[in-house]
Amino acid sequence: MYKLRLVPKETNIQFMRFHKFGLLISIFLAVLSFVGYFSIGLNTGIDFRGGTLFEVRVPIEKSNLSNIRSAFLETNLGEISIQSFGKPEDILIRVQKQNQDSELTEQSIINEIKSILRNKISNNVEFRRVETVGPVVSGELKRKGFIALSLALFAMLIYIWFRFEWQFSIGAIIALIHDVSLTIGFLVITKLEFNLATIA
């Protein structure tokens, strides 16, 4: 029977030949990521900034989320989150909190949202609730998240220590910190939105 061999039997690739160069690149990128995080910062979304919450009820035939989202594409209100709430005709709209130097006030945002919904969706839109919401991630939640992450890392370190050797556990923690720091650096450079979904 013919055996398929994709890699020659005597293949010997020196993967570790460039380990010093790779280590220097990794350290450089990690440091650059931390510098970018503290100097430039992340492009945080509604979950972190807070904003204005609208609970509206639209006619059932007009409750298509894609059409509602399309109606807000050309606005200058910043990030807008639209999702169903309970019944299909009940919609939650969250508008990201504006920067301090923005000319838009809370009342002008409310008027703009009402105008868009009534002109582009339906005149029969019912505004059931309008309120200002704070960021989902509060200081307490950040603290608890940091504690949970620290405990998870410690538990992983202990498991790998007993299962293999302590050197491997330290290496796993360093690798995890390295990967997270480079991911943060990527988000800083690309200005991709950083929200709860990103964390998940």
Side-chain angles (χ1 to χ4, degrees):
M1 182 177 179
Y2 178 75
K3 294 183 179 180
L4 177 64
R5 184 182 296 277
L6 298 177
V7 181
K9 186 176 182 181
E10 302 300 326
T11 299
N12 184 16
I13 302 175
Q14 300 294 326
F15 288 102
M16 298 301 294
R17 181 188 303 174
F18 304 104
H19 73 279
K20 293 182 179 178
F21 177 74
L23 183 61
L24 290 175
I25 292 295
S26 294
I27 293 173
F28 173 75
L29 291 176
V31 171
L32 193 64
S33 298
F34 280 110
V35 171
Y37 172 75
F38 288 108
S39 60
I40 302 174
L42 293 167
N43 178 27
T44 53
I46 290 176
D47 299 325
F48 290 87
R49 293 186 184 179
T52 307
L53 174 70
F54 299 82
E55 182 183 334
V56 301
R57 175 166 288 179
V58 300
I60 187 65
E61 66 274 9
K62 300 287 187 178
S63 60
N64 185 283
L65 288 181
S66 297
N67 294 336
I68 296 175
R69 290 190 178 106
S70 299
F72 290 93
L73 289 179
E74 298 179 358
T75 64
N76 61 342
L77 300 177
E79 184 200 348
I80 299 177
S81 172
I82 301 173
Q83 63 186 84
S84 296
F85 175 71
K87 298 179 181 179
E89 61 268 29
D90 291 338
I91 307 296
L92 278 182
I93 302 174
R94 287 192 295 172
V95 182
Q96 181 176 283
K97 184 178 180 180
Q98 303 297 311
N99 296 324
Q100 293 181 354
D101 56 349
S102 175
E103 297 179 357
L104 293 172
T105 63
E106 183 178 345
Q107 189 57 48
S108 64
I109 292 173
I110 294 174
N111 294 336
E112 180 75 13
I113 294 293
K114 289 183 177 181
S115 174
I116 292 172
L117 287 174
R118 286 172 176 159
N119 293 333
K120 296 187 177 182
I121 303 300
S122 173
N123 286 324
N124 298 323
V125 174
E126 176 187 352
F127 289 84
R128 311 186 71 189
R129 178 165 57 109
V130 179
E131 64 183 37
T132 301
V133 295
V136 175
V137 183
S138 63
E140 182 181 0
L141 191 55
K142 288 181 181 178
R143 182 178 60 83
K144 290 182 177 180
F146 176 77
I147 293 174
L149 179 61
S150 300
L151 291 175
L153 292 175
F154 180 73
M156 184 169 64
L157 187 149
I158 294 299
Y159 168 76
I160 300 176
W161 190 347
F162 280 99
R163 180 64 179 81
F164 302 102
E165 295 180 19
W166 66 271
Q167 296 95 331
F168 293 107
S169 61
I170 295 176
I173 299 299
I174 293 174
L176 182 60
I177 294 173
H178 167 268
D179 294 345
V180 171
S181 65
L182 262 60
T183 302
I184 291 175
F186 176 79
L187 293 173
V188 169
I189 293 173
T190 59
K191 287 297 180 182
L192 291 174
E193 181 186 300
F194 185 79
N195 51 31
L196 291 180
T198 308
I199 295 178

